[in-house]
Amino acid sequence: LLRRIFAMTKLTILSSTEQEHFDSPPKFNADDRALNFSLTNTELKLVEELRTATNKAGFVLQLGYFKANGKFFVAEQFRHLDIQYVTNLLGILPNDVDWLLYQQRTPINHQKRILSLQGWQPFDIAQQRKVTAHITWLIQRQLSAKPVFLSAIDFCWQNKIELPSCNTLTTIITNAYNHFEQGLVDIIAKKLTQYHRTKLDQLMGADVKNKKRLQRSPITLIKQVNQSLQPSDIQENIEAFKVFKG
């Protein structure tokens, strides 16, 4: 029985719509833009030090999105209305911005500066260990996957850790469930005698002597308790109990 337990495939925690929403920049209204793209004197000084219009606009967009969502996005995801607002805010002509030039090292450097400005930590190996430990703690308390996912997001906000992608967080949660369940299996494996193993194999439909699998597992015949008070039904429940009792 224990040898037939395999690791689960990656969990589906969020719907496709929820995943897209989680991994996309926020949809701002006018008030949201005014709030999240406003710049402190320190932030404005950093922007003025940047050389090109593209870098200035990219930095402010990343900063605004991070303030709202605690995560970063690639230039292809920047929303058109937000780009218009930021270029107007900075006095930049839209034609002076070329997002093809805002790639690779530049946005990554901007992200590091934004994290430092906001007093947050990047989602690196050290922070992943912290998040994983929190997720493991939740799983040990029998929480289902979605509450674990949402709690992990709250944990990142509370501890000022950059939020990972939906795929990354889902993979961490899936691995944590696998690790927890394998731990339970290992505990059972150490406690079971050969007699118990044989009985479990028989319940699951294995013909131990002939090394064959029965067409229908005995456990499927007794997984429901008959609530009838008829003598024959009561006797049937007694026989089922005897199977479990061994």
Side-chain angles (χ1 to χ4, degrees):
L1 170 65
L2 297 177
R3 289 191 296 271
R4 292 198 291 270
I5 297 177
F6 298 96
M8 68 178 73
T9 57
K10 189 166 71 174
L11 294 168
T12 300
I13 301 175
L14 301 185
S15 67
S16 56
T17 301
E18 289 173 326
Q19 289 179 42
E20 183 177 359
H21 175 77
F22 184 80
D23 287 331
S24 299
K27 292 183 178 179
F28 289 152
N29 58 31
D31 291 337
D32 294 331
R33 290 188 188 93
L35 174 65
N36 290 290
F37 292 129
S38 63
L39 300 172
T40 65
N41 289 335
T42 300
E43 292 164 352
L44 182 59
K45 184 177 179 181
L46 279 173
V47 173
E48 290 173 344
E49 291 174 355
L50 299 173
R51 292 183 301 169
T52 68
T54 299
N55 286 353
K56 290 179 180 181
F59 183 89
V60 174
L61 284 160
Q62 289 214 72
L63 177 61
Y65 288 149
F66 187 83
K67 288 178 180 178
N69 271 31
K71 58 196 307 187
F72 297 109
F73 305 94
V74 296
E76 290 80 3
Q77 293 179 286
F78 295 167
R79 299 193 184 278
H80 181 66
L81 290 176
D82 297 336
I83 294 172
Q84 285 185 324
Y85 181 89
V86 167
T87 53
N88 183 62
L89 176 71
L90 298 175
I92 295 171
L93 294 174
N95 291 338
D96 290 339
V97 176
D98 184 357
W99 295 118
L100 291 177
L101 300 177
Y102 195 70
Q103 306 288 339
Q104 298 177 349
R105 292 180 60 183
T106 298
I108 292 175
N109 289 336
H110 287 180
Q111 290 168 13
K112 291 178 180 177
R113 298 180 78 172
I114 289 169
L115 287 168
S116 178
L117 271 174
Q118 299 299 305
W120 281 51
Q121 298 297 321
F123 192 77
D124 55 18
I125 294 175
Q127 303 309 316
Q128 181 173 324
R129 288 197 186 106
K130 293 180 184 178
V131 174
T132 300
H134 177 69
I135 288 170
T136 300
W137 182 83
L138 294 171
I139 291 173
Q140 289 170 346
R141 279 145 189 82
Q142 305 297 312
L143 266 71
S144 57
K146 192 161 189 179
V148 170
F149 187 97
L150 297 175
S151 181
I153 295 172
D154 289 340
F155 181 84
C156 287
W157 275 98
Q158 291 166 6
N159 291 274
K160 294 187 174 182
I161 300 171
E162 174 194 356
L163 269 65
S165 68
C166 179
N167 180 66
T168 296
L169 192 51
T170 299
T171 300
I172 292 171
I173 292 172
T174 300
N175 290 341
Y177 270 109
N178 283 334
H179 182 75
F180 175 69
E181 291 176 3
Q182 187 58 53
L184 295 179
V185 170
D186 291 342
I187 291 171
I188 294 172
K190 291 177 182 178
K191 298 292 184 181
L192 287 180
T193 65
Q194 186 57 48
Y195 171 80
H196 291 137
R197 292 172 185 268
T198 301
K199 284 294 183 181
L200 283 171
D201 279 337
Q202 289 171 348
L203 269 179
M204 298 304 294
D207 185 342
V208 178
K209 290 183 179 179
N210 298 314
K211 297 182 179 181
K212 295 180 179 178
R213 187 170 182 81
L214 303 178
Q215 286 188 335
R216 187 175 183 186
S217 301
I219 198 170
T220 64
L221 303 175
I222 55 178
K223 64 181 180 181
Q224 292 183 338
V225 177
N226 192 331
Q227 301 295 330
S228 171
L229 297 179
Q230 294 294 324
S232 60
D233 294 325
I234 293 174
Q235 185 61 40
E236 183 181 319
N237 288 338
I238 292 173
E239 294 303 318
F241 173 73
K242 289 180 178 177
V243 173
F244 277 115
K245 187 177 180 181

